[in-house]
PDB file of all heavy atoms in Angstrom:
ATOM      1  N   ALA A 249      66.881 111.545  59.835  1.00  0.00           N
ATOM      2  CA  ALA A 249      66.850 112.249  61.117  1.00  0.00           C
ATOM      3  C   ALA A 249      66.743 113.737  60.818  1.00  0.00           C
ATOM      4  O   ALA A 249      67.227 114.204  59.783  1.00  0.00           O
ATOM      5  CB  ALA A 249      68.097 111.946  61.942  1.00  0.00           C
ATOM      6  N   PHE A 250      66.087 114.462  61.719  1.00  0.00           N
ATOM      7  CA  PHE A 250      66.063 115.924  61.561  1.00  0.00           C
ATOM      8  C   PHE A 250      65.892 116.611  62.906  1.00  0.00           C
ATOM      9  O   PHE A 250      65.374 116.020  63.850  1.00  0.00           O
ATOM     10  CB  PHE A 250      64.977 116.366  60.563  1.00  0.00           C
ATOM     11  CG  PHE A 250      63.557 116.008  60.932  1.00  0.00           C
ATOM     12  CD1 PHE A 250      62.782 116.840  61.731  1.00  0.00           C
ATOM     13  CD2 PHE A 250      62.983 114.824  60.469  1.00  0.00           C
ATOM     14  CE1 PHE A 250      61.483 116.517  62.060  1.00  0.00           C
ATOM     15  CE2 PHE A 250      61.673 114.492  60.795  1.00  0.00           C
ATOM     16  CZ  PHE A 250      60.920 115.328  61.595  1.00  0.00           C
ATOM     17  N   PHE A 251      66.398 117.847  62.964  1.00  0.00           N
ATOM     18  CA  PHE A 251      66.159 118.727  64.112  1.00  0.00           C
ATOM     19  C   PHE A 251      64.977 119.611  63.780  1.00  0.00           C
ATOM     20  O   PHE A 251      64.716 119.908  62.598  1.00  0.00           O
ATOM     21  CB  PHE A 251      67.361 119.633  64.355  1.00  0.00           C
ATOM     22  CG  PHE A 251      68.567 118.945  64.933  1.00  0.00           C
ATOM     23  CD1 PHE A 251      69.794 119.003  64.278  1.00  0.00           C
ATOM     24  CD2 PHE A 251      68.498 118.283  66.156  1.00  0.00           C
ATOM     25  CE1 PHE A 251      70.918 118.392  64.818  1.00  0.00           C
ATOM     26  CE2 PHE A 251      69.621 117.669  66.704  1.00  0.00           C
ATOM     27  CZ  PHE A 251      70.830 117.729  66.028  1.00  0.00           C
ATOM     28  N   CYS A 252      64.295 120.098  64.821  1.00  0.00           N
ATOM     29  CA  CYS A 252      63.261 121.102  64.586  1.00  0.00           C
ATOM     30  C   CYS A 252      63.233 122.089  65.730  1.00  0.00           C
ATOM     31  O   CYS A 252      63.515 121.748  66.877  1.00  0.00           O
ATOM     32  CB  CYS A 252      61.899 120.451  64.366  1.00  0.00           C
ATOM     33  SG  CYS A 252      61.155 119.788  65.855  1.00  0.00           S
ATOM     34  N   GLY A 253      62.912 123.327  65.395  1.00  0.00           N
ATOM     35  CA  GLY A 253      62.812 124.387  66.388  1.00  0.00           C
ATOM     36  C   GLY A 253      62.556 125.706  65.673  1.00  0.00           C
ATOM     37  O   GLY A 253      62.659 125.777  64.445  1.00  0.00           O
ATOM     38  N   THR A 254      62.255 126.721  66.449  1.00  0.00           N
ATOM     39  CA  THR A 254      61.972 128.025  65.852  1.00  0.00           C
ATOM     40  C   THR A 254      63.142 128.485  64.990  1.00  0.00           C
ATOM     41  O   THR A 254      62.966 128.914  63.852  1.00  0.00           O
ATOM     42  CB  THR A 254      61.678 129.049  66.964  1.00  0.00           C
ATOM     43  OG1 THR A 254      60.484 128.633  67.627  1.00  0.00           O
ATOM     44  CG2 THR A 254      61.492 130.439  66.411  1.00  0.00           C
ATOM     45  N   ALA A 255      64.357 128.404  65.534  1.00  0.00           N
ATOM     46  CA  ALA A 255      65.526 128.863  64.783  1.00  0.00           C
ATOM     47  C   ALA A 255      65.955 127.830  63.740  1.00  0.00           C
ATOM     48  O   ALA A 255      66.325 128.176  62.626  1.00  0.00           O
ATOM     49  CB  ALA A 255      66.681 129.153  65.737  1.00  0.00           C
ATOM     50  N   TRP A 256      65.865 126.545  64.084  1.00  0.00           N
ATOM     51  CA  TRP A 256      66.360 125.475  63.202  1.00  0.00           C
ATOM     52  C   TRP A 256      65.328 125.047  62.170  1.00  0.00           C
ATOM     53  O   TRP A 256      65.650 124.268  61.266  1.00  0.00           O
ATOM     54  CB  TRP A 256      66.816 124.273  64.039  1.00  0.00           C
ATOM     55  CG  TRP A 256      68.099 124.531  64.748  1.00  0.00           C
ATOM     56  CD1 TRP A 256      68.283 125.368  65.818  1.00  0.00           C
ATOM     57  CD2 TRP A 256      69.394 124.010  64.429  1.00  0.00           C
ATOM     58  NE1 TRP A 256      69.612 125.376  66.172  1.00  0.00           N
ATOM     59  CE2 TRP A 256      70.310 124.550  65.340  1.00  0.00           C
ATOM     60  CE3 TRP A 256      69.856 123.112  63.458  1.00  0.00           C
ATOM     61  CZ2 TRP A 256      71.673 124.246  65.316  1.00  0.00           C
ATOM     62  CZ3 TRP A 256      71.214 122.799  63.431  1.00  0.00           C
ATOM     63  CH2 TRP A 256      72.103 123.370  64.355  1.00  0.00           C
ATOM     64  N   GLU A 257      64.098 125.515  62.366  1.00  0.00           N
ATOM     65  CA  GLU A 257      62.977 125.150  61.473  1.00  0.00           C
ATOM     66  C   GLU A 257      62.939 123.624  61.353  1.00  0.00           C
ATOM     67  O   GLU A 257      62.862 122.941  62.363  1.00  0.00           O
ATOM     68  CB  GLU A 257      63.140 125.887  60.136  1.00  0.00           C
ATOM     69  CG  GLU A 257      63.200 127.401  60.378  1.00  0.00           C
ATOM     70  CD  GLU A 257      63.327 128.237  59.144  1.00  0.00           C
ATOM     71  OE1 GLU A 257      64.343 128.121  58.443  1.00  0.00           O
ATOM     72  OE2 GLU A 257      62.404 129.041  58.875  1.00  0.00           O
ATOM     73  N   VAL A 258      63.029 123.069  60.129  1.00  0.00           N
ATOM     74  CA  VAL A 258      63.185 121.607  59.979  1.00  0.00           C
ATOM     75  C   VAL A 258      64.504 121.412  59.247  1.00  0.00           C
ATOM     76  O   VAL A 258      64.614 121.732  58.060  1.00  0.00           O
ATOM     77  CB  VAL A 258      62.017 120.984  59.193  1.00  0.00           C
ATOM     78  CG1 VAL A 258      62.283 119.499  58.912  1.00  0.00           C
ATOM     79  CG2 VAL A 258      60.706 121.153  59.962  1.00  0.00           C
ATOM     80  N   THR A 259      65.532 120.956  59.972  1.00  0.00           N
ATOM     81  CA  THR A 259      66.883 120.834  59.409  1.00  0.00           C
ATOM     82  C   THR A 259      67.294 119.363  59.365  1.00  0.00           C
ATOM     83  O   THR A 259      67.331 118.701  60.417  1.00  0.00           O
ATOM     84  CB  THR A 259      67.907 121.625  60.255  1.00  0.00           C
ATOM     85  OG1 THR A 259      67.569 123.011  60.224  1.00  0.00           O
ATOM     86  CG2 THR A 259      69.326 121.450  59.731  1.00  0.00           C
TER      87      THR A 259
END
Side-chain angles (χ1 to χ4, degrees):
F250 61 87
F251 287 123
C252 73
T254 296
W256 287 71
E257 303 181 297
V258 173
T259 297

